[in-house]
Amino acid sequence: MPTERELAISPIVQESVQHNTRVISNIRSLTASLFGIASGILGLESYAGFAFYLLGTFFVSVLIWAFLAKGKQGEYFQGPLSELWAGDVLGGGMSFVLTWTLFYGLVRA
Amino acid sequence: MVQTIHRDPALFYWILFPISIVMILTGVLRHYATILLQTTPKKLTLPALREQRQLLHGINLRTNYSAISSASFAARKNYLVSAYKNGDFLKDPDNRGKPAGNPMTDPAAMEGMMGMMKGNMAMMIPQTLIMGWINAFFAGFVIMKLPFPLTLRFKSMLQSGVATRDLDVRWVSSLSWYFLNLFGLQSVFIFILGNDNAASQMAQQMQQMNPSGAGGMFQPGQDPDKMFKSEAENLEVVEHEYILKGVEERVLGLV
């Protein structure tokens, strides 16, 4: 944790932090829906589907890390682990389950 | 053993899609209704505005003190602290020390409560209506199979109206599709309405659980005199340090 003095010298701007979180949540919700569609069409069931989602999310996180953060995650996020790698995974999971169920129903059942 | 049920594919067109479309449109409607129902903040009178701004002035000075030199900080601090203690900025100086009035009688407070009520109504009414609509039209049969297994406890909820004892819990009725929509549509709303939409009731409920601090500064029923006093105390204990102190070494260290 940076001290008060360090924060005063190089302050953290709330707007930028919010912007970064918004970018992450936008990407997450889009990709979660797409992963849901993919796993529904593939006909994945139970654990395979959730594993597919987690793997896909990890892949997307790697892409964010490589292209958006250019490998320097510490410069963009205060807590890279919770904000970049695990950010909004649960919220996206809801959308994933929705599209997964829809396309599973449309294609298979 | 895998149970299969042969269903009419028209089930999808007449149940699944209508429910989804109605849920999405309700979300869009709720978003715009919330925008329309937002009342523009009432114009404050000059003393009331001064009271608010001067308190903000103190808070800003306390949070950004390092940006000004010690002498100017001390000058500002002394001015604000003495004015706070005298109650120079108070809206009605005669009311000092009297207990705050009942928030129910204060018109400004009533307005805030009305706004909250409106937001709640915009959430509650569509929810009840859609639940009733689904229960009235689409109850009593299974429409789809979930791709993941659930425990038996969900059977009574997800298969309500389907009195088949041996049916796998994965076969669910239309009400569960409604619940899936309720939780999962947030991402769809992000695409349609942008990121700070008011469409999803889930997000709104989260917001209500932890209200932001900015709005709560001038809550009804709070005594502004006491707030000024506490702000004066906060200002007095600030240990000032100028940010440009020792800047030469820092700049040289960068080179």
Side-chain angles (χ1 to χ4, degrees):
Chain A
M1 229 18 226
T3 63
E4 206 172 334
R5 188 177 147 75
E6 282 166 24
L7 270 178
I9 290 171
S10 48
I12 289 164
V13 183
Q14 230 17 259
E15 279 82 17
S16 311
V17 173
Q18 272 167 12
H19 176 258
N20 284 352
T21 345
R22 200 176 306 135
V23 167
I24 293 283
S25 102
N26 275 348
I27 292 173
R28 282 266 186 269
S29 46
L30 176 63
T31 52
S33 308
L34 293 179
F35 285 134
I37 293 171
S39 62
I41 293 172
L42 290 173
L44 300 177
E45 290 190 15
S46 60
Y47 287 123
F50 289 112
F52 180 79
Y53 173 63
L54 288 181
L55 272 181
T57 327
F58 179 72
F59 176 64
V60 170
S61 301
V62 170
L63 289 183
I64 294 173
W65 174 77
F67 289 105
L68 286 181
K70 300 180 191 70
K72 291 175 282 187
Q73 51 180 4
E75 286 191 8
Y76 292 91
F77 299 100
Q78 281 171 277
L81 202 66
S82 63
E83 285 175 33
L84 198 164
W85 297 96
D88 236 10
V89 169
L90 278 184
M94 296 284 191
S95 321
F96 170 76
V97 169
L98 179 78
T99 46
W100 183 21
T101 314
L102 177 64
F103 278 81
Y104 183 83
L106 288 176
V107 175
R108 292 283 161 137
Chain B
M1 191 193 71
V2 179
Q3 293 174 330
T4 48
I5 297 179
H6 292 286
R7 286 153 305 143
D8 195 340
L11 280 178
F12 282 122
Y13 303 119
W14 291 101
I15 297 175
L16 219 54
F17 291 134
I19 291 178
S20 322
I21 291 169
V22 165
M23 291 288 292
I24 293 174
L25 288 184
T26 327
V28 175
L29 190 72
R30 185 181 304 123
H31 174 68
Y32 286 112
T34 324
I35 290 177
L36 278 179
L37 286 178
Q38 260 169 8
T39 44
T40 45
K42 229 174 36 183
K43 251 192 179 164
L44 291 169
T45 55
L46 188 63
L49 194 65
R50 189 184 62 176
E51 182 183 89
Q52 233 179 61
R53 295 295 137 171
Q54 289 292 352
L55 187 61
L56 273 177
H57 185 179
I59 292 172
N60 281 338
L61 180 67
R62 180 161 51 90
T63 45
N64 301 318
Y65 63 86
S66 56
I68 53 176
S69 68
S70 291
S72 36
F73 176 75
R76 283 166 171 78
K77 186 183 83 175
N78 290 336
Y79 167 65
L80 280 179
V81 165
S82 68
Y84 282 172
K85 288 202 168 150
N86 284 338
D88 287 351
F89 302 134
L90 284 179
K91 181 168 54 182
D92 31 9
D94 312 331
N95 270 0
R96 275 186 90 184
K98 282 183 200 158
N102 187 1
M104 282 317 227
T105 54
D106 187 5
M110 276 308 277
E111 205 139 300
M113 269 185 245
M114 275 304 284
M116 218 150 45
M117 282 276 285
K118 277 186 209 157
N120 272 335
M121 292 303 257
M123 269 177 10
M124 291 292 294
I125 290 175
Q127 206 168 357
T128 338
L129 279 182
I130 294 175
M131 277 275 271
W133 173 64
I134 288 172
N135 264 333
F137 280 79
F138 308 126
F141 45 87
V142 295
I143 58 162
M144 66 193 312
K145 191 182 177 189
L146 292 178
F148 45 89
L150 289 169
T151 53
L152 269 178
R153 289 184 176 274
F154 287 95
K155 195 175 169 69
S156 59
M157 188 177 88
L158 298 182
Q159 288 180 359
S160 58
V162 185
T164 323
R165 212 151 38 84
D166 294 330
L167 192 61
D168 196 348
V169 195
R170 290 173 63 182
W171 292 97
V172 291
S173 61
S174 48
L175 202 60
S176 44
W177 176 243
Y178 164 77
F179 280 117
L180 277 179
N181 270 304
L182 195 66
F183 289 110
L185 274 183
Q186 174 64 19
S187 64
V188 178
F189 293 137
I190 287 181
F191 300 132
I192 303 177
L193 302 169
N195 217 312
D196 45 354
N197 64 67
S200 172
Q201 21 193 272
M202 284 304 133
Q204 281 199 351
Q205 276 164 13
M206 304 260 191
Q207 244 173 32
Q208 279 182 354
M209 273 176 222
N210 43 357
S212 56
M217 214 184 69
F218 268 95
Q219 256 160 19
Q222 255 179 342
D223 188 4
D225 189 38
K226 277 199 191 110
M227 294 174 75
F228 277 132
K229 288 262 166 60
S230 72
E231 188 53 42
E233 268 170 34
N234 285 341
L235 272 175
E236 272 177 334
V237 298
V238 165
E239 211 168 305
H240 186 261
E241 198 189 343
Y242 194 23
I243 192 160
L244 289 182
K245 198 176 120 202
V247 71
E248 303 92 339
E249 286 104 64
R250 285 210 303 275
V251 169
L252 288 176
L254 284 177
V255 182

